[in-house]
Amino acid sequence: MASHLRNITLLDPDSGMTRGVDLVTDTQGRIARIGPDLPPAPGVPVIDAQGALCLPGFVNSHNHSPLMIVRGMIEDISFAPAYTPGVPQGHWLSDEETLALARLGVMEMLCAGATTIVDYYRCPEALAQAAAEFGLRAQVGGRVMDMDSAALAEGRFARDDALGEATLGAALALRDKWAGHARISTILAPHAPDSCSREMFAQMRDLATASDTQVHTHLSQSQMEVDQIRAREGMTPTEFLDDLGLLTPDLIAAHCIFMTDSDVARFGAAGAVVAHAPIGNASFGAAAPIKALAEAGARITLCTDTKSADMFEAMRMALASARLRAGLCFDLDAAQVFRWATAGGAEALRGHGATGRLRVGDPADLILLDPLAANLRPVIDGPGIVVHSGNAANVTDVMVAGDWLVRDRRPTRVEASAVVAEAQHVAEGLWRRARG
């Protein structure tokens, strides 16, 4: 359905900020017109935005939506639940439990302004179903690994070929089922260098080449991972992926924290993509060398990694962590991290249909921010106020491909209260199990 947004303050990563314009979408879900005081078309509803900031929807490049179950708990214990005893583990989850948790995680991301997400975990069919129910764009994968999940939580790396076959099978079944879907696409998602064997990564490489699919993984997330790969392979995790032929522009690697200077140069020269997770990294006292990676040629995207869905916070933390690690670096500014969260993510990820921009002809993937929010006034510099002062609670409305998926802070396709109640019920049961 076409829509006419009147009196918006348009903020685009290319053209910057334009006040007092209208934006009209067509029946194909694209932006048809942008300009001041556009005449309304017959039958097209006109929405007075009251000067609200209108942004491209965020591209949230790395998440595991069911892991919101450990939010507020894992941060004071460890860097990741898969490597931590005493917390709910992914291999415990049934399809039904995964779906309940994924619905909550996806709802949070959507209501926080993410219109395109990457999501992968065990039971990937449930992730795809959750995303489809809410209507946003999602790149979904099955978390593939052939190291025993239970052993990882105890700090042991034990090969489990049956697990590898099962998780790979689920990932390939997902790909076959969702091929051709308008908003759900699939990825290949080996978990990490330390949780996947060389043989599994080689299989991922061959599948990616044959299907022209991007590979998403964790890389240099912890010192434990670095130590394990040095012991097993005699090289760093970055060198390991390069040795396998996976270090290419079609590699999306989350975290990239514990890298040597040589790793940074190697990764950047390959033009590989960082899914930068500054919130989760900072929660255990770490910061990726993101400025050095960008200067070396890496492409940077932003993600919340399910520690939060707030991409405003992720943009702000990306700046803060870069300045803490690299010193005073005011050449990295709000406009740059806004681009990472929008157009940069859309360009680096393939197969989703988003552009991360608001131009005539682009898909109408956009968000409106509360025009009366005191923290978003005064507006002098658009990226500056959004990055340094905005938050997810400012998002009032979300549109994807011309469809309103959030109106007045509530999802339009799913009953929010039922999603919250079911996720709470599942979470309480899993935490009872974790605590014995």
Side-chain angles (χ1 to χ4, degrees):
M1 182 178 179
S3 296
H4 185 144
L5 305 185
R6 184 174 296 286
N7 186 21
I8 60 172
T9 300
L10 187 74
L11 183 58
D12 179 80
D14 291 340
S15 58
M17 185 172 69
T18 308
R19 299 176 188 269
V21 295
D22 292 6
L23 183 150
V24 179
T25 69
D26 62 23
T27 56
Q28 283 72 50
R30 295 193 170 272
I31 298 173
R33 293 180 292 162
I34 297 174
D37 298 320
L38 295 175
V44 176
V46 178
I47 299 166
D48 183 2
Q50 303 177 60
L53 281 158
C54 179
L55 282 58
F58 295 123
V59 179
N60 194 335
S61 61
H62 176 89
N63 294 280
H64 318 289
S65 56
L67 277 180
M68 43 67 55
I69 194 173
V70 300
R71 183 171 55 192
M73 307 293 285
I74 192 68
E75 292 88 345
D76 291 334
I77 302 172
S78 177
F79 68 94
Y83 301 88
T84 307
V87 302
Q89 295 296 318
H91 60 275
W92 296 356
L93 297 180
S94 67
D95 290 335
E96 294 77 14
E97 289 168 332
T98 302
L99 178 59
L101 298 176
R103 282 174 174 147
L104 181 59
V106 169
M107 183 172 76
E108 185 190 6
M109 285 188 274
L110 174 65
C111 291
T115 53
T116 301
I117 65 170
V118 173
D119 197 13
Y120 61 97
Y121 204 56
R122 294 284 294 271
C123 306
E125 172 61 27
L127 310 184
Q129 182 179 335
E133 288 175 2
F134 283 92
L136 78 178
R137 302 182 195 272
Q139 295 193 289
V140 181
R143 185 185 75 175
V144 178
M145 57 198 304
D146 60 357
M147 297 292 169
D148 183 351
S149 303
L152 283 180
E154 299 171 359
R156 296 185 293 109
F157 297 88
R159 182 80 172 260
D160 185 341
D161 290 331
L163 176 64
E165 291 176 7
T167 54
L168 179 57
L172 297 181
L174 177 86
R175 180 190 64 180
D176 294 342
K177 178 174 179 178
W178 291 87
H181 192 279
R183 298 186 192 176
I184 308 296
S185 55
T186 58
I187 57 173
L188 293 169
H191 178 254
D194 57 348
S195 59
C196 292
S197 66
R198 172 177 282 269
E199 291 78 13
M200 179 58 78
F201 265 107
Q203 196 168 0
M204 291 286 102
R205 175 201 62 209
D206 295 344
L207 285 167
T209 300
S211 61
D212 192 28
T213 304
Q214 290 182 299
V215 172
H216 291 241
T217 193
H218 301 82
L219 181 64
S220 299
Q221 179 180 200
S222 68
Q223 188 60 50
M224 180 173 66
E225 174 197 326
V226 174
D227 294 343
Q228 170 64 12
I229 296 304
R230 282 195 180 277
R232 193 183 86 193
E233 303 287 343
M235 56 186 76
T236 69
T238 302
E239 292 167 342
F240 171 60
L241 294 187
D242 194 17
D243 188 55
L244 282 160
L246 277 163
L247 198 61
T248 74
D250 276 335
L251 176 74
I252 293 88
H255 302 293
C256 299
I257 302 167
F258 296 91
M259 285 181 154
T260 66
D261 290 345
S262 175
D263 287 338
V264 169
R266 185 185 297 262
F267 191 97
V273 180
V274 182
H276 185 30
I279 302 168
N281 297 347
S283 71
F284 70 97
I290 205 66
K291 188 169 185 290
L293 281 160
E295 290 171 348
R299 291 176 294 161
I300 313 300
T301 67
L302 283 183
C303 65
T304 54
D305 198 16
T306 321
K307 291 294 199 304
S308 149
D310 194 334
M311 287 285 282
F312 299 87
E313 183 184 9
M315 290 188 289
R316 193 154 49 245
M317 185 62 75
L319 277 178
S321 62
R323 290 171 181 168
L324 284 168
R325 176 142 186 172
L328 294 175
C329 54
F330 292 104
D331 52 333
L332 178 60
D333 59 12
Q336 183 62 61
V337 296
F338 178 61
R339 173 174 290 277
W340 289 351
T342 53
E347 291 166 356
L349 308 180
R350 295 195 289 108
H352 48 74
T355 65
R357 295 177 171 86
L358 295 178
R359 306 166 300 187
V360 171
D362 283 332
D365 295 2
L366 56 85
I367 63 178
L368 296 178
L369 306 186
D370 187 347
L372 300 180
N375 63 301
L376 294 178
R377 293 294 184 272
V379 180
I380 306 301
D381 174 84
I385 196 70
V386 165
V387 171
H388 290 292
S389 190
N391 60 66
N394 296 141
V395 177
T396 59
D397 303 273
V398 180
M399 175 183 283
V400 174
D403 295 332
W404 287 112
L405 301 184
V406 176
R407 295 291 280 151
D408 297 323
R409 296 186 169 91
R410 290 292 183 268
T412 60
R413 297 188 177 187
V414 177
E415 177 53 52
S417 60
V419 171
V420 170
E422 181 61 18
Q424 181 70 32
H425 173 74
V426 169
E428 289 174 357
L430 290 167
W431 272 102
R432 282 195 297 270
R433 176 178 174 180
R435 290 165 167 166

